[in-house]
Amino acid sequence: MASFSNLLQTTVGRKILTGVTGIFLILFLVAHLAGNLTLFAGDGGEAFNLYAVFLHDLGPLLWIAELGLIILFGLHAYIGIKIYLGKKKARPVDYTYYQSQGGPSKQTFASKTMLISGMVILLFVILHVLHFKYNFFMPQMMVDNPAGGQMIDLAGHVEQAFLNPWIMLAYTAVMLLIGLHLKHGVWSAFISLGAKNPKLVPVLYTVGGIVAALLAVGFLIIPVFIFFNGGLL
Amino acid sequence: MSTHDLITVHLKVWRQNGPNDRGHFEDYTLKDITTHMSFLEMLDVLNENLMKEKKTPVEFDHDCREGICGSCNLVINGIPHGPQMRTAACQLHMRHFKDNETITIEPWRAKAFPIIKDLVVDRNAFDRIMEAGGYVTMATGNAPDANAVPISKVEADSAMDYAVCIGCGACVASCPNSSASLFTGAKIAQLAKLPQGAPERKKRVIAMVEQMEKEGFGDCSNYGECEAVCPVGISISAIATMRTEYVKALF
Ligand code: HEM
Ligand code: SF4
Ligand code: FES
């Protein structure tokens, strides 16, 4: 009999899990982007730094959130890889000639490269955390906290990083890949989680594309702006 | 089309002498094919020629030849049921092909649909999915009163949109993952819309989904290729419905 514990055992269960984890990852991206956009407050990064201090001060709550994110990424990636590996098992002898019918088909560059875009995102996330959280590639900087004492100058760190053209370009490229992942991903999550009305289906695909584009542009505008502006506002 | 065009076609047909044979493509050229012929009639001509030459005809599945039985499983030029949308291979006509065109014909390819011979595959996996839960229990005997079970027009129409599935398997054949989700989803969605399907509603979705898994069909990645090749245009919303039904059955 089916239960929550064997959701991983059927294609329907697995898809519900990719959908749910995908949606939570999108919500994380939205929150992350909202935090990042405080860089544009025009205060040399103070609001952004204070936001980082606020997150750090959450203490155990932050750890729980971080653990949650690791589980989300892990489960999402695990199922994605499993689905990909299942292809060969379900069709041991492939077609010699195969093409898409087009029309309502959503077999696009985006949908066919979900695993690749996903893997690059995963690699990026690891490097990104090492970069800005663990200061692997740059020394930490400090700045005065308006509330007294000092705080980590994360904004300065970000500014320095993105003045480097290669880092700016690399981040921009990955943000475009996230957009590509979500171009199929957002719509796919709607279908995985039960968009039952046939009339809504094409609308959701368009909505998904818009959400994907907004997120990608929202994120990549930061490195691009800092680079071309020669620094923060 | 008023003119009676005659075209020449070059066929590349998959020949496989049984489930364990490796199989290969064979080339045939057919002259003077009228564009009014159906695709299957064109294959009939091929087989007549082969028999005249004392060669083994190409095995292909067909029955109704009017787009309702779902047996004409041919992947034509890389697309299940060929280039015309919402058209089973038997309803496809030769006017969709150009003079001197090379046409490749392959069988459905999926582990769950083993090849019997040439272009014929075994689709019993679908029947076993149906046996697992694609039925309703009801009192038999005299026909019930016509309007004893009220169903709104909207619900009836929507159930009908899913009920038109002819079980051909093109959805599986076209899916990059060989998933049977559109077929199974259509059956589940149809019965979920109707009061007759209510008693077994939860049991049905679990059983059919588990059977689909056992048969070795692949996962669904929401590519939507199935909807594009489906000869009756079943919407991918059938798959979304199957998933909500599954979640409801967990509680
Ligand atoms: C910011 C991070 C990410 C977000 C927001 C995200 C979002 C999504 C969404 C919404 C979907 C559609 C889910 C569904 O079909 O129900 C999806 C699918 C997918 N994701 Fe991600 N994802 C992320 C990271 C990753 C990573 C790290 C991987 C690593 C392998 C990955 C691999 C995949 C694959 C392979 C699919 C397609 C699954 C299938 O074939 O059905 N994603 N993603
Ligand atoms: S859903 Fe469409 S393609 Fe799939 S078996 Fe039914 S009729 Fe054929
Ligand atoms: S032969 Fe019956 S649907 Fe084509």
Side-chain angles (χ1 to χ4, degrees):
Chain A
M1 210 44 214
S3 70
F4 285 98
S5 55
N6 57 20
L7 268 185
L8 273 174
Q9 308 305 320
T10 67
T11 171
V12 172
R14 281 190 291 274
K15 216 49 211 164
I16 291 164
L17 289 175
T18 29
V20 170
T21 52
I23 291 285
F24 275 103
L25 288 172
I26 292 174
L27 292 178
F28 158 70
L29 289 185
V30 171
H32 190 359
L33 178 61
N36 288 357
L37 290 177
T38 59
L39 281 166
F40 289 117
D43 55 3
E46 193 171 280
F48 182 71
N49 285 336
L50 286 170
Y51 173 64
V53 169
F54 162 77
L55 287 181
H56 276 199
D57 290 348
L58 290 176
L61 272 180
L62 183 66
W63 304 336
I64 292 170
E66 285 173 349
L67 184 68
L69 276 173
I70 291 173
I71 293 172
L72 283 180
F73 269 105
L75 191 59
H76 185 87
Y78 169 76
I79 302 175
I81 294 167
K82 201 175 152 84
I83 291 177
Y84 184 82
L85 295 178
K87 284 182 186 214
K88 184 97 189 113
K89 256 189 262 164
R91 180 170 293 144
V93 181
D94 207 349
Y95 291 106
T96 313
Y97 301 94
Y98 177 86
Q99 53 174 320
S100 169
Q101 174 69 285
S105 173
K106 305 290 184 290
Q107 239 195 118
T108 57
F109 182 70
S111 67
K112 286 192 274 193
T113 54
M114 289 302 271
L115 187 69
I116 301 167
S117 56
M119 297 294 246
V120 176
I121 296 169
L122 194 60
L123 184 70
F124 163 81
V125 168
I126 294 168
L127 290 173
H128 178 63
V129 170
L130 292 176
H131 188 181
F132 287 124
K133 186 174 163 94
Y134 294 106
N135 306 304
F136 243 66
F137 310 107
M138 291 175 172
Q140 195 171 66
M141 298 188 291
M142 300 304 281
V143 62
D144 285 339
N145 186 331
Q150 292 230 297
M151 62 181 172
I152 298 170
D153 187 12
L154 194 58
H157 203 149
V158 170
E159 185 176 32
Q160 283 219 335
F162 293 149
L163 286 173
N164 177 322
W166 298 113
I167 299 183
M168 183 275 290
L169 283 176
Y171 268 74
T172 306
V174 174
M175 295 312 120
L176 289 174
L177 269 187
I178 291 183
L180 193 70
H181 196 79
L182 293 184
K183 179 180 178 284
H184 182 71
V186 174
W187 126 276
S188 184
F190 281 132
I191 299 297
S192 295
L193 300 177
K196 292 191 288 186
N197 186 339
K199 291 198 189 72
L200 267 183
V201 165
V203 180
L204 291 174
Y205 193 66
T206 312
V207 170
I210 295 171
V211 171
L214 284 178
L215 277 172
V217 170
F219 276 105
L220 69 79
I221 205 150
I222 296 165
V224 169
F225 177 86
I226 291 177
F227 181 78
F228 286 103
N229 188 46
L232 283 169
L233 282 173
Chain B
M1 199 184 293
S2 55
T3 52
H4 194 71
D5 287 338
L6 294 178
I7 60 173
T8 296
V9 289
H10 307 284
L11 304 178
K12 264 182 150 11
V13 183
W14 185 260
R15 303 299 309 257
Q16 181 171 337
N17 202 6
N20 300 320
D21 184 26
R22 283 198 54 196
H24 64 282
F25 278 102
E26 214 144 297
D27 295 341
Y28 306 99
T29 293
L30 294 181
K31 291 200 169 71
D32 296 338
I33 294 295
T34 97
T35 51
H36 296 326
M37 267 183 191
S38 77
F39 199 81
L40 299 193
E41 285 171 320
M42 182 274 293
L43 288 181
D44 291 339
V45 171
L46 168 68
N47 278 347
E48 274 167 30
N49 291 354
L50 286 174
M51 284 187 282
K52 274 185 214 146
E53 295 165 23
K54 304 254 179 284
K55 290 186 183 148
T56 321
V58 176
E59 293 283 342
F60 63 95
D61 219 347
H62 59 97
D63 184 18
C64 69
R65 297 203 176 197
E66 55 184 12
I68 55 171
C69 76
S71 30
C72 47
N73 313 322
L74 303 171
V75 176
I76 301 164
N77 283 342
I79 303 174
H81 291 307
Q84 199 183 24
M85 289 218 341
R86 294 219 182 182
T87 308
C90 59
Q91 294 293 291
L92 181 69
H93 286 78
M94 292 312 292
R95 53 181 164 270
H96 296 287
F97 299 90
K98 293 190 288 286
D99 194 19
N100 273 315
E101 184 169 343
T102 301
I103 305 171
T104 64
I105 311 173
E106 271 184 270
W108 280 184
R109 293 201 187 276
K111 180 167 164 278
F113 286 162
I115 293 175
I116 298 172
K117 192 173 180 198
D118 296 339
L119 303 167
V120 180
V121 302
D122 173 353
R123 285 178 298 130
N124 280 327
F126 270 9
D127 296 335
R128 288 188 293 269
I129 293 175
M130 290 304 279
E131 277 166 31
Y135 52 80
V136 294
T137 1
M138 52 169 66
T140 53
N142 278 344
D145 223 28
N147 293 316
V149 185
I151 305 169
S152 81
K153 166 90 172 123
V154 178
E155 287 297 288
D157 283 353
S158 154
M160 196 60 199
D161 286 344
Y162 295 123
V164 289
C165 166
I166 58 176
C168 64
C171 41
V172 175
S174 72
C175 175
N177 301 356
S178 314
S179 172
S181 291
L182 195 67
F183 166 78
T184 311
K187 302 299 174 192
I188 290 170
Q190 172 205 338
L191 295 175
K193 297 272 173 198
L194 299 172
Q196 288 89 341
E200 289 102 354
R201 191 163 176 175
K202 291 186 172 184
K203 229 173 65 187
R204 170 181 309 116
V205 58
I206 302 287
M208 291 179 80
V209 165
E210 283 180 355
Q211 190 62 35
M212 175 166 76
E213 201 73 24
K214 276 188 214 140
E215 298 293 345
F217 291 107
D219 273 295
C220 171
S221 290
N222 299 330
Y223 286 118
E225 191 63 37
C226 48
E227 177 178 336
V229 299
C230 176
V232 293
I234 303 277
S235 163
I236 193 172
S237 59
I239 302 180
T241 305
M242 168 170 68
R243 289 169 178 148
T244 43
E245 288 296 309
Y246 190 83
V247 172
K248 280 186 209 150
L250 291 178
F251 294 98

